[in-house]
């Protein structure tokens, strides 16, 4: 058997190969085939996937902390609607990644460390959105009054308040112009059910 000669192989049974070397084909067992000692067997390597394995730990006092003591009531569950005052005080705007990046940039300026955090930014933008509604954006003076009503600890006539509101107001106008609609979903126009544009429906 010449290991350097290319031979067409035809698989016969489970452990036999038929070598079509000459006119007379004969079955040869796989164990009887000679392997070139210089080349050696060829091993096909496959890249292994690095799948992280989660760590599972048992909480010893889980049954005591999370007790199954809920009893379904006999009557229906009713949703208690919030009053007008509670709805106005509730913050519906949630800061996204762009808001946090802008906030870090603002806090990095001189003299503005600690003046504004993510919670205050959400309340300020929420106040300006609810003051504007579905209409055009309010003026900066109206925004100052709306924010002063929501944030009681900021004096409306102080220089600190005007500078802080001016920066947030400018950022809010740019973001509203970029989205071309209010930032609160409750003020978005209802899309027609026949509209096939997924960017408007969802």
């Amino acid at each position: 058997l010449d290991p350097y000669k290319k031979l067409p192989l035809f698989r016969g049974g489970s452990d036999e190969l038929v070598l079509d070397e000459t006119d007379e084909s004969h079955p040869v067992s796989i164990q009887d085939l000679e392997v070139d000692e210089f080349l050696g067997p060829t091993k096909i390597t496959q890249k292994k996937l690095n799948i992280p394995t989660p760590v599972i730990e048992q909480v010893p006092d889980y049954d005591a902390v999370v007790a199954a003591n809920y009893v379904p009531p006999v009557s229906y569950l009713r949703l208690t609607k919030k009053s007008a005052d509670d709805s106005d005080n509730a913050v519906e705007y949630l800061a996204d990644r762009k808001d946090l990046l802008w906030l870090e940039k603002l806090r990095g300026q001189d003299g503005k460390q600690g003046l504004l955090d993510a919670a205050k930014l959400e309340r300020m933008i929420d106040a300006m959105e609810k003051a504007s509604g579905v209409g055009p954006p309010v003026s900066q003076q109206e925004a100052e009054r709306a924010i002063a009503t929501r944030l009681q600890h900021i004096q409306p006539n102080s220089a600190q308040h005007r500078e802080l509101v001016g920066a947030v107001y400018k950022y809010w106008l740019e973001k509203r112009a970029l989205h071309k609609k209010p930032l609160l979903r409750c003020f978005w126009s209802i899309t027609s059910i026949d509209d096939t544009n997924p960017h408007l429906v969802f």
Side-chain angles (χ1 to χ4, degrees):
L1 180 63
D2 186 5
Y4 300 99
K5 184 178 180 180
K6 295 183 179 180
L7 301 176
L9 302 179
F10 302 92
R11 183 171 295 278
S14 59
D15 59 347
E16 290 185 352
L17 293 177
V18 179
L19 304 181
D20 192 8
E21 183 179 5
T22 59
D23 295 339
E24 298 179 0
S25 301
H26 56 281
V28 179
S29 176
I30 297 178
Q31 287 78 9
D32 297 335
L33 292 178
E34 297 179 1
V35 180
D36 190 357
E37 60 181 358
F38 298 100
L39 298 178
T42 304
K43 184 178 180 181
I44 301 176
T45 59
Q46 186 176 5
K47 185 178 180 181
K48 296 182 179 180
L49 299 178
N50 185 14
I51 302 177
T53 304
V55 179
I56 301 176
E57 297 181 356
Q58 293 185 355
V59 181
D61 55 346
Y62 178 81
D63 295 334
V65 175
V66 187
N69 54 3
Y70 176 75
V71 179
V74 180
S75 60
Y76 290 104
L77 297 177
R78 295 182 179 274
L79 176 63
T80 304
K81 295 184 178 181
K82 297 181 179 180
S83 61
D85 296 336
D86 295 337
S87 299
D88 293 338
N89 295 329
V91 179
E92 300 181 32
Y93 181 80
L94 296 177
D96 55 12
R97 183 174 178 272
K98 293 183 179 179
D99 297 338
L100 298 180
L101 292 177
W102 176 85
L103 182 60
E104 290 296 329
K105 183 178 179 180
L106 178 68
R107 296 173 64 179
Q109 299 178 5
D110 296 336
K112 295 184 179 180
Q113 294 84 358
L115 296 180
L116 188 64
D117 55 9
K120 293 179 182 178
L121 179 63
E122 290 176 349
R123 295 180 67 88
M124 294 174 71
I125 295 180
D126 186 85
M128 292 186 292
E129 280 291 316
K130 291 180 178 178
S132 302
V134 296
V138 295
S139 62
Q140 185 170 348
Q141 290 75 16
E142 294 174 336
E144 290 178 0
R145 289 193 294 267
I147 293 175
T149 304
R150 298 290 296 274
L151 301 177
Q152 302 292 338
H153 61 280
I154 296 181
Q155 300 297 328
N157 296 326
S158 63
Q160 181 188 39
H161 172 79
R162 289 183 177 275
E163 184 180 2
L164 187 62
V165 172
V168 177
Y169 180 78
K170 181 180 179 181
Y171 172 75
W172 170 66
L173 285 181
E174 293 176 354
K175 189 172 184 179
R176 227 179 189 242
L178 179 63
H179 289 272
K180 299 180 180 180
K181 60 182 178 181
L183 302 183
L184 291 183
R185 191 179 183 87
C186 60
F187 297 130
W188 293 0
S189 59
I190 301 177
T191 309
S192 175
I193 59 176
D194 299 330
D195 198 330
T196 58
N197 189 350
H199 299 285
L200 298 178
V201 176
F202 298 101

